[in-house]
Amino acid sequence: MQNDTYDRLLWIGIALVVAAIAILPFVQANDSTQSAARLLGRANDRQAIVEARRYLLRQRYEPVESLLQQGRPQQALLKLEELSRTFPGDAHAFILRGQILADLGAPAEAASSFAQGIRLDGSYVDKTSPLSRRYAISRLVDGIRAKTAASSAGTASASPEMAQNLRYLQSRLAGGCE
């Protein structure tokens, strides 16, 4: 009775369960190594995408940047308008336009352009983003706030659109989302 088929099947089953339990930690360790490699691969992929995007933007907007370095902001703005027709809806064009307009002394238009660009791509206010233009945006917002605080009417004298753009930019700089 000890050697019948049922007993043998039970002992084989128990041996298989014990073997599976013994192998399980090695399988999990290998699986965690693979998942770590996958995460590292994704991080490398993201980094490659960011670098490719930076390269593309640098190549696309190099004429505008060179005109700005030469101290010709009006020509840079015209070139940017030409590029904007070729690549409509590009967030970087709005951000560059905002920087140029801020330098030319048009804060309302600059705030509007910055707000449009950030609505399209919020990485321009992200502190850790390589595309971050946080400092320029913050400088514009602080300048507008200082001007409106110095005026007797405060923000009431600003146009409703400018006030809305200013609040939006302040919110995004403070870490808010859409």
Side-chain angles (χ1 to χ4, degrees), residues 95-107:
I95 298 298
L96 276 177
R97 183 179 299 118
Q99 285 182 312
I100 295 169
L101 290 171
D103 291 343
L104 290 174

Side-chain angles (χ1 to χ4, degrees), residues 64-84:
V64 176
E65 296 286 347
S66 68
L67 287 169
L68 286 174
Q69 289 175 355
Q70 295 171 10
R72 299 169 34 193
Q74 290 85 6
Q75 287 87 359
L77 196 57
L78 290 173
K79 184 65 175 174
L80 184 61
E81 293 300 322
E82 180 184 318
L83 288 171
S84 293

Side-chain angles (χ1 to χ4, degrees), residues 153-176:
T155 56
S157 65
S159 72
E161 181 184 350
M162 182 176 162
Q164 180 182 10
N165 288 330
L166 183 62
R167 282 190 302 271
Y168 175 75
L169 291 173
Q170 286 174 323
S171 168
R172 293 305 303 263
L173 287 169

Side-chain angles (χ1 to χ4, degrees), residues 10 16 22 28-29 33 47-48 56 62 67 70 74 77-78 100 110 112 114 116 123 141 148 150 155 159 161:
L10 273 175
L16 288 175
Q28 287 178 343
T33 304
Q47 184 65 26
L56 174 71
E62 190 273 326
L67 287 169
Q70 295 171 10
Q74 290 85 6
L77 196 57
L78 290 173
I100 295 169
S112 174
F114 277 139
Q116 286 176 321
S123 66
V141 168
T148 56
T155 56
S159 72
E161 181 184 350

Side-chain angles (χ1 to χ4, degrees), residues 4-177:
D4 65 353
T5 307
Y6 180 73
D7 289 334
R8 287 184 192 157
L9 288 175
L10 273 175
W11 284 109
I12 291 173
I14 291 172
L16 288 175
V17 169
V18 169
I21 290 173
I23 294 174
L24 188 61
F26 300 110
V27 172
Q28 287 178 343
N30 189 22
D31 198 30
S32 66
T33 304
Q34 288 175 353
S35 66
R38 272 186 263 134
L39 288 176
L40 183 60
R42 288 182 194 153
N44 288 341
D45 290 347
R46 275 188 242 118
Q47 184 65 26
I49 289 169
V50 167
E51 289 300 319
R53 182 170 180 225
R54 285 179 64 193
Y55 178 77
L56 174 71
L57 291 174
R58 200 174 356 191
Q59 293 299 316
R60 184 180 294 169
Y61 294 104
E62 190 273 326
V64 176
E65 296 286 347
S66 68
L67 287 169
L68 286 174
Q69 289 175 355
Q70 295 171 10
R72 299 169 34 193
Q74 290 85 6
Q75 287 87 359
L77 196 57
L78 290 173
K79 184 65 175 174
L80 184 61
E81 293 300 322
E82 180 184 318
L83 288 171
S84 293
R85 278 182 255 131
T86 306
F87 305 105
D90 188 7
H92 195 72
F94 287 111
I95 298 298
L96 276 177
R97 183 179 299 118
Q99 285 182 312
I100 295 169
L101 290 171
D103 291 343
L104 290 174
E109 294 83 1
S112 174
S113 188
F114 277 139
Q116 286 176 321
I118 293 170
R119 282 186 181 102
L120 292 172
D121 185 358
S123 66
Y124 288 99
V125 291
D126 184 10
K127 292 176 187 174
T128 60
S129 172
L131 297 174
S132 180
R133 301 295 170 108
R134 185 177 184 84
Y135 177 73
I137 296 167
S138 179
R139 190 176 64 216
L140 174 74
V141 168
D142 292 342
I144 293 172
R145 284 181 28 203
K147 276 186 190 174
T148 56
S151 71
S152 61
T155 56
S157 65
S159 72
E161 181 184 350
M162 182 176 162
Q164 180 182 10
N165 288 330
L166 183 62
R167 282 190 302 271
Y168 175 75
L169 291 173
Q170 286 174 323
S171 168
R172 293 305 303 263
L173 287 169
C177 58

